[in-house]
Amino acid sequence: MAHIMFPPPYIAAEQAAQSLREHGSAVLRPEDFAAWIGASLPQLHALDQDWNDLPPDAFLKDSGRYRSRRHSCFVAEAGSLQQVPHRAHWQPVEYNALHGGMQRMFDPMHAATTQSPVWALMLQKLAELSDQVFGSTGQQRWFVESHQFRIDTTDGIGRPTPEGAHRDGVDLVAVILVNRQGVKGGETRVFEASGPSGQRFTLTEPWSIMLLDDARMIHETTPIQPAEPGGVRDTLVLTYRRGAFQGADLQDGAL
């Protein structure tokens, strides 16, 4: 039986803020995303090789071996970007029923990526977007968490969101598809937390991006299966939150 995929509901990059305000989500084509942040697609693709060097996720409660990741944190404010001392990723159980309440200390991202000009352009542009959509009093201080994920199909199935449909407990969520090779499945599903509307589509173009108002939208990605040996799905997830990192009161040295 043929596998049906629904195309992403792409919009123009300059409409992203309006779409987030009106609909709670926006999806941009790779070339539009690159131009919007002031970069080129080759500059973004220069980061791709990082995903070949992600350590296994040692915290999966389903005993899976399908996920590898790195994690680093930043503060963005008024056109500046600062990487903060490495810290654990923490979420409350209200937002992540499977892994909530755990101090998960993942390996940090490579300095070659976090110190690259295109990385700064990307994170600062998304901070500017967050100001436009959520910063009712002007420029905010944004606490940014960056997650590099590889989901593989070595054991036959990989789960991009093992926690199921969820919110992240932040303001803005950005999900960027970095690579998709030799897999089937991986459909993105987005629907209102307090309403009937929803969408389903499959991101297939590297460096396409989905943006979400996390307070309004619930999201998940369906499992992937191999379409050929060695199938993987690589993503970069960036979250922006006002006030503090989640769990800041639980960690020494929190900003």
Side-chain angles (χ1 to χ4, degrees):
M1 185 174 66
H3 182 71
I4 299 174
M5 294 194 302
F6 297 95
Y10 290 130
I11 64 170
E14 58 269 20
Q15 297 173 351
Q18 179 180 351
S19 184
L20 281 166
R21 293 190 199 100
E22 294 181 358
H23 307 294
S25 65
V27 187
L28 309 182
R29 291 180 176 86
E31 58 271 21
D32 292 344
F33 175 55
W36 182 62
I37 68 172
S40 67
L41 268 180
Q43 284 180 290
L44 289 171
H45 280 297
L47 306 179
D48 292 358
Q49 61 184 349
D50 264 15
W51 274 259
N52 294 323
D53 185 35
L54 302 183
D57 185 337
F59 295 94
L60 285 170
K61 281 191 172 181
D62 64 1
S63 301
R65 298 180 299 173
Y66 52 81
R67 186 160 76 180
S68 303
R69 68 191 296 178
R70 290 183 184 272
H71 169 251
S72 289
C73 296
F74 307 82
V75 171
E77 182 179 19
S80 68
L81 181 69
Q82 173 193 0
Q83 186 168 1
V84 302
H86 195 51
R87 56 186 294 113
H89 176 52
W90 185 90
Q91 292 175 293
V93 293
E94 291 82 2
Y95 290 106
N96 190 328
L98 185 60
H99 298 116
M102 300 173 63
Q103 294 277 6
R104 292 183 284 168
M105 183 68 81
F106 301 107
D107 284 9
M109 294 177 60
H110 290 308
T113 293
T114 61
Q115 295 175 13
S116 68
V118 71
W119 183 259
L121 286 172
M122 178 166 51
L123 267 63
Q124 288 169 346
K125 185 65 177 182
L126 290 171
E128 178 184 313
L129 176 68
S130 298
D131 280 334
Q132 293 173 14
V133 177
F134 307 105
S136 58
T137 59
Q139 291 181 329
Q140 302 284 315
R141 194 180 196 204
W142 294 104
F143 294 81
V144 185
E145 294 198 50
S146 171
H147 307 263
Q148 294 175 300
F149 291 105
R150 166 162 287 183
I151 308 299
D152 68 47
T153 55
T154 302
D155 291 337
I157 192 170
R159 295 178 174 84
T161 53
E163 65 271 41
H166 66 284
R167 292 184 294 144
D168 289 333
V170 297
D171 291 291
L172 179 75
V173 175
V175 179
I176 301 168
L177 181 74
V178 175
N179 179 41
R180 178 189 167 101
Q181 183 175 350
V183 300
K184 56 186 178 180
E187 180 180 82
T188 296
R189 297 175 179 176
V190 181
F191 48 96
E192 294 176 335
S194 302
S197 298
Q199 296 185 85
R200 54 189 293 198
F201 54 89
T202 304
L203 295 173
T204 60
E205 295 185 86
W207 291 97
S208 53
I209 180 172
M210 175 181 70
L211 301 161
L212 296 174
D213 178 342
D214 187 61
R216 293 172 55 187
M217 308 303 291
I218 295 173
H219 65 282
E220 66 175 333
T221 301
T222 63
I224 59 172
Q225 294 177 292
E228 60 186 54
V232 296
R233 182 179 186 268
D234 296 341
T235 55
L236 171 64
V237 176
L238 301 167
T239 64
Y240 286 67
R241 189 175 191 265
R242 286 169 289 187
F245 293 109
Q246 289 194 98
D249 56 335
L250 304 176
Q251 298 188 51
D252 293 336
L255 294 183

